[in-house]
Amino acid sequence: MTSQGAQADIGLIGLGTMGGNLALNIAENGFRISVFNRTLEKTDQFIAKAGALAEKLVPSKTLEDFVASIASPRAIILMVPAGDAVDAQIAALRPLLDAEDLIIDAGNANYHDTNRRAADAEAQGPRFMGIGVSGGEEGARFGPSIMGGGAKDAWDQVGHILEAISAKHDNEPCAAFLGAAGAGHLVKTVHNGIEYADMQMIAEVYGVMRDGFGMSSNEIGDVFEKWNGGILQSYLIEISYKVAKTADPETGKPMLDIILDKAGQKGTGRWTAIEALMLGTPASAIEAAVATRNMSARLDERKKGEAEFGAAPNELDREAVSIDALEAALIAGKIICYAQGFGLILEAAKQYGWAMPLPEIAKIWRNGCIIRSAMLNDMSAALADDDERNLMLAPFFSDKLKETEAMLRQVVAQAALHGLPVPALSAALSYFDIMRTSCSTANMLQGQRDFFGAHGFERTDKDGTGYHGPWAMG
Ligand code: NAP
């Protein structure tokens, strides 16, 4: 197809929550953008509401007109639901595009799908990129964090647009090219997994304050607000204090007393846990967060459990666990959860041969995305120093863990004694304890494996592998 009359710098398909806001963001940054939506009325409504930005928007009623309205080589962003819709849209576009055109899937794709689509694109064109876009509706409109994956020359074609529309931190764009094929979507997945664990740990210390200390939502909100002025400063702590301090307009009660304790999920946390297991890298705090959402959904079962076993004796001795100890536990838990997340990315980078610049990833998470936080600055510096080292061994973070470890232990121990579930913090503590010991209990596992399956083991006193125990003789 020729590009006669083409004027737009870029095109976008899917004017839903994310796509519509992303298109306005692109237009506001001075780029001319063609838009297309499966349901045509949505396009009309979108243009009607765009105000002055409408002059930068080029609506089309057919896919053919849409394609023809974009300057060659064309770049087309897809913002449609992940999965079949992406494949269907690529199939519909392929006959209309030239080999050097570029399709960019900006939805929350499973990175295995992105790997497959990138391979298909290599074989039959057009070019393909998968980018992770974080920050929800507001991020899409005013500046998301963008995690780019695909061919580097494709990034070079559209990177200036993606950097322009991204969030900024100290004037640096929160958008970067991270590696080939599914690299961007893998990083977005891990971002979401970390988000699950970060949120879960905050919910756990909320639970200790509510059920262990009997504090009101407002009092808990005050604590989170204070913490937001320190090392824990983050979007998630900020929204937590705002959620805790908000009253229900209907009843006047705290919103948290009105919101049912059944957590939803769209699957990216689960993907992170699955990837961690598949890549053989520990992400136990993230796995605990996913499992806890699954448990929360089983409200009827939980009610039966409480009827059977009675409610736990939650009340805590304020002498045994202080508010400061809770803050310290959260600091330690957060460091460990990020150590696991970056460890997972490192492992994927090795497995797939992707560039994955870890310090850059920490940098582009500093603004625009849900897990933005002050600590990411220090993480970026630590990873720049040595990106192969476990983050908890970087001097800044090992010092922090030495300061906070005892309090994490105290919080987890007291919570366990009083029936207050802290699964993500417990998982973080167990990870810490295992990763700081050179003498684990896996010798017993190896003995058992050799006993029943002759799997062999290494010896502590000799080199080599494949030793067996004298079990048969016993
Ligand atoms: P949405 O509001 O439901 O919009 C979906 C859009 O895709 C609509 O324009 C819809 O068109 C179109 N669409 C649906 N099925 C299609 C198909 N089979 N073929 C062509 N077009 C189709 O979804 P969204 O929240 O914007 O999410 C879009 C993507 O961004 C998803 O991958 C999501 O996971 C990801 N994401 C969302 C968020 C968030 O906070 N919402 C954050 C980050 C990433 P119609 O008008 O015709 O239905």
Side-chain angles (χ1 to χ4, degrees):
M1 161 150 304
T2 61
S3 59
Q4 281 170 2
Q7 298 168 51
D9 300 299
I10 193 163
L12 182 143
I13 296 177
L15 293 171
T17 310
M18 291 296 284
N21 281 296
L22 208 62
L24 293 176
N25 184 355
I26 292 171
E28 193 157 68
N29 276 280
F31 301 101
R32 196 160 171 76
I33 174 167
S34 287
V35 291
F36 178 80
N37 195 70
R38 178 182 63 171
T39 310
L40 296 178
E41 302 86 75
K42 200 182 260 183
T43 311
D44 296 337
Q45 290 160 8
F46 173 72
I47 298 291
K49 284 192 196 154
L53 291 177
E55 66 176 37
K56 292 273 179 201
L57 301 165
V58 185
S60 293
K61 292 203 183 312
T62 67
L63 207 53
E64 288 76 7
D65 287 349
F66 166 76
V67 168
S69 70
I70 307 165
S72 279
R74 302 173 188 84
I76 297 172
I77 297 175
L78 303 185
M79 229 352 161
V80 300
D84 293 345
V86 175
D87 286 318
Q89 200 58 72
I90 293 171
L93 282 169
R94 188 170 281 134
L96 306 176
L97 297 179
D98 298 323
E100 69 272 17
D101 290 339
L102 170 64
I103 297 176
I104 304 164
D105 177 15
N108 268 345
N110 184 313
Y111 85 102
H112 293 294
D113 285 340
T114 308
N115 285 346
R116 169 178 55 78
R117 289 172 188 138
D120 287 352
E122 286 268 309
Q124 51 183 321
R127 294 177 304 149
F128 182 76
M129 276 177 66
I131 64 169
V133 177
S134 176
E137 195 176 343
E138 198 186 321
R141 177 66 184 86
F142 299 109
S145 170
I146 298 179
M147 295 147 250
K152 180 68 170 66
D153 64 345
W155 177 266
D156 292 340
Q157 180 187 336
V158 290
H160 66 293
I161 300 179
L162 300 177
E163 286 179 3
I165 66 165
S166 74
K168 308 290 178 300
H169 185 275
D170 290 343
N171 293 323
E172 285 181 64
C174 292
F177 176 74
L178 304 177
H185 278 143
L186 182 274
V187 172
K188 173 64 167 50
T189 299
V190 176
H191 163 285
N192 286 25
I194 290 173
E195 176 186 309
Y196 273 50
D198 212 338
M199 291 167 72
Q200 175 61 31
M201 289 180 192
I202 294 171
E204 290 173 13
V205 297
Y206 156 72
V208 173
M209 288 190 269
R210 183 189 68 180
D211 303 328
F213 297 163
M215 289 167 65
S216 70
S217 290
N218 252 326
E219 289 169 331
I220 296 169
D222 286 342
V223 171
F224 285 147
E225 188 169 5
K226 182 167 171 259
W227 290 354
N228 201 42
I231 185 175
L232 285 175
Q233 189 282 320
S234 62
Y235 174 70
L236 285 171
I237 289 282
E238 182 190 331
I239 64 167
S240 300
Y241 86 68
K242 289 179 177 167
V243 168
K245 287 179 153 201
T246 300
D248 173 33
E250 273 183 47
T251 61
K253 291 180 180 171
M255 277 311 309
L256 281 172
D257 291 356
I258 298 295
I259 300 172
L260 190 68
D261 62 328
K262 279 172 84 169
Q265 56 181 310
K266 286 191 174 164
T268 39
R270 179 169 55 224
W271 288 351
T272 311
I274 291 170
E275 276 327 305
L277 293 170
M278 296 303 287
L279 290 165
T281 174
S284 49
I286 296 168
E287 289 161 19
V290 177
T292 309
R293 283 203 197 187
N294 294 340
M295 286 185 256
S296 84
R298 295 171 176 246
L299 181 55
D300 289 343
E301 246 176 283
R302 289 191 282 120
K303 282 182 179 165
K304 285 178 191 154
E306 183 168 323
E308 179 70 19
F309 300 108
N314 289 157
E315 203 177 322
L316 269 181
D317 181 357
R318 289 286 278 263
E319 299 293 309
V321 177
S322 65
I323 296 284
D324 287 349
L326 291 179
E327 183 183 20
L330 211 46
I331 293 167
K334 182 164 176 156
I335 294 168
I336 289 164
C337 137
Y338 276 77
Q340 294 184 346
F342 281 114
L344 204 173
I345 294 172
L346 183 65
E347 201 56 43
K350 284 183 184 162
Q351 177 132 338
Y352 291 99
W354 290 336
M356 297 288 210
L358 265 56
E360 196 63 25
I361 292 170
K363 275 188 175 178
I364 64 171
W365 286 348
R366 290 178 304 175
N367 202 2
C369 67
I370 304 296
I371 63 171
R372 57 187 183 261
S373 76
M375 222 187 260
L376 281 160
N377 250 335
D378 300 304
M379 289 183 186
S380 178
L383 292 164
D385 191 32
D386 182 349
D387 64 358
E388 296 261 338
R389 173 185 56 196
N390 186 317
L391 193 67
M392 73 176 205
L393 299 177
F396 178 84
F397 291 107
S398 70
D399 285 351
K400 281 278 167 282
L401 280 171
K402 284 170 195 164
E403 281 167 27
T404 54
E405 174 224 326
M407 284 178 275
L408 172 62
R409 197 174 298 289
Q410 189 67 2
V411 168
V412 170
Q414 288 297 322
L417 284 171
H418 294 82
L420 292 159
V422 286
L425 289 172
S426 303
L429 178 63
S430 291
Y431 173 88
F432 175 79
D433 282 334
I434 292 171
M435 296 310 287
R436 58 91 65 92
T437 183
S438 58
C439 182
S440 79
T441 53
N443 51 337
M444 173 55 97
L445 301 179
Q446 286 298 79
Q448 292 163 337
R449 292 180 69 242
D450 190 55
F451 192 104
F452 66 66
H455 292 297
F457 51 78
E458 293 171 78
R459 295 181 63 105
T460 55
D461 55 353
K462 292 180 193 168
D463 290 337
T465 56
Y467 292 102
H468 295 283
W471 329 117
M473 285 153 51

